[in-house]
């Protein structure tokens, strides 16, 4: 019996399950790439125990719907979040934006992103990458410019995503501007960002 199956066996034998045990089991299924079981357990939690979820429970459920992916289920969880008053937490907003983006509803993802009061660099980078992955490079570059104006420092993942977009568009001029910014703020020469620079310049024909 695997560890996850053993955990589920112990979970099933519990006479009473608190929110922590439900959340641990749901997130365990998500981490082991079994999103459908995670969603079924989330439904069971609401149906049987009528437990009030916390931000970690619903974030795990949203991650499961994103992994399926299923926009309908994600919207159902969004509705549940609104009804239970969990819509004031930034962790939940971030998970909502991620779910909508991965389920192909980029407009909803951006709407949630714009409503977030406290956006960290991970949230910014994820939204920028969604635009690039959807082929909407102008909106991705515009949001990257908004990030620079916000005063939040991009990380290596941000730089890499933007540079790859420059390479795909063979936009050396914009790539050079990103390179200049990286030089000014500093970046780890042993990270993958320099590799993205090499790729951008070579794709643009500047050997």
């Amino acid at each position: 019996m695997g560890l996850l199956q053993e955990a589920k066996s112990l979970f099933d034998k519990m006479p009473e399950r608190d929110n922590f045990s439900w959340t641990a089991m749901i997130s365990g299924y998500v981490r082991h790439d079994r999103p459908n079981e995670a969603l079924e357990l989330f439904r069971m939690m609401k149906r049987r125990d009528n437990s009030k979820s916390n931000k970690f429970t619903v974030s795990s459920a949203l991650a499961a719907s994103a992994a399926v992916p299923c926009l309908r289920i994600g919207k159902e969880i969004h509705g549940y979040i609104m009804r239970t008053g969990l819509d004031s937490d930034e962790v939940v907003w971030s998970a909502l934006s991620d779910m909508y983006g991965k389920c192909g509803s980029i407009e909803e993802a951006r709407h949630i992103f714009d409503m977030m009061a406290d956006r960290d660099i991970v949230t910014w980078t994820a939204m920028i990458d969604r635009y690039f992955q959807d082929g909407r490079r102008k909106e991705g570059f515009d949001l990257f410019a908004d990030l620079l104006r916000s005063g939040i420092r991009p990380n290596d993942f941000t730089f890499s995503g933007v540079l790859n977009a420059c390479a795909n568009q063979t936009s050396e001029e914009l790539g050079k501007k990103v390179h200049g910014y990286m030089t000014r703020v500093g970046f780890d020469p042993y990270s993958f960002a320099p590799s993205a620079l090499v790729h951008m310049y070579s794709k643009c024909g500047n050997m």
Side-chain angles (χ1 to χ4, degrees):
M1 181 183 293
L3 292 177
L4 190 59
Q5 286 77 12
E6 186 176 345
K8 182 60 164 59
S9 177
L10 292 171
F11 176 82
D12 289 340
K13 294 174 183 176
M14 295 176 67
E16 292 186 11
R17 305 176 185 115
D18 59 13
N19 185 266
F20 177 81
S21 58
W22 280 107
T23 303
M25 201 66 234
I26 292 168
S27 62
Y29 275 128
V30 174
R31 288 196 303 272
H32 286 82
D33 298 320
R34 294 168 65 174
N36 288 310
E37 284 116 317
L39 290 170
E40 180 56 35
L41 203 60
F42 180 68
R43 296 188 194 99
M44 188 187 301
M45 181 202 73
K46 294 190 298 177
R47 186 171 62 246
R48 291 188 180 179
D49 283 19
N50 197 28
S51 300
K52 185 177 181 181
S53 304
N54 60 27
K55 61 182 179 181
F56 302 109
T57 320
V58 295
S59 295
S60 293
L62 287 168
S65 63
V68 171
C70 183
L71 182 59
R72 177 184 59 80
I73 295 174
K75 285 188 172 183
E76 288 176 3
I77 298 171
H78 188 177
Y80 174 79
I81 288 167
M82 301 298 290
R83 292 193 301 274
T84 53
L86 290 166
D87 56 313
S88 62
D89 192 279
E90 293 298 322
V91 171
V92 175
W93 283 116
S94 181
L96 273 169
S97 181
D98 187 62
M99 179 277 295
Y100 278 116
K102 289 180 178 176
C103 289
S105 185
I106 195 167
E107 301 302 337
E108 288 281 1
R110 179 60 190 268
H111 175 68
I112 297 295
F113 174 85
D114 288 339
M115 291 179 66
M116 295 175 66
D118 186 20
R119 295 174 292 217
D120 60 16
I121 187 55
V122 175
T123 305
W124 277 96
T125 301
M127 192 67 234
I128 292 168
D129 283 345
R130 287 186 196 109
Y131 279 127
F132 291 147
Q133 291 165 9
D134 201 47
R136 297 163 65 169
R137 295 188 182 92
K138 183 182 183 304
E139 288 157 293
F141 290 133
D142 287 346
L143 192 59
F144 177 66
D146 290 342
L147 167 62
L148 299 184
R149 285 191 289 269
S150 75
I152 298 175
R153 187 185 185 282
N155 61 20
D156 290 335
F157 292 98
T158 323
F159 288 135
S160 180
V162 173
L163 288 169
N164 285 332
C166 292
N168 292 335
Q169 198 172 336
T170 59
S171 179
E172 184 181 353
E173 181 181 356
L174 183 56
K176 281 185 174 180
K177 290 180 180 179
V178 177
H179 186 185
Y181 179 83
M182 290 170 65
T183 302
R184 290 195 300 275
V185 301
F187 64 94
D188 184 359
Y190 300 103
S191 70
F192 46 83
S195 297
L197 274 172
V198 172
H199 175 66
M200 183 275 295
Y201 280 121
S202 62
K203 192 77 178 287
C204 293
N206 188 345
M207 303 310 292

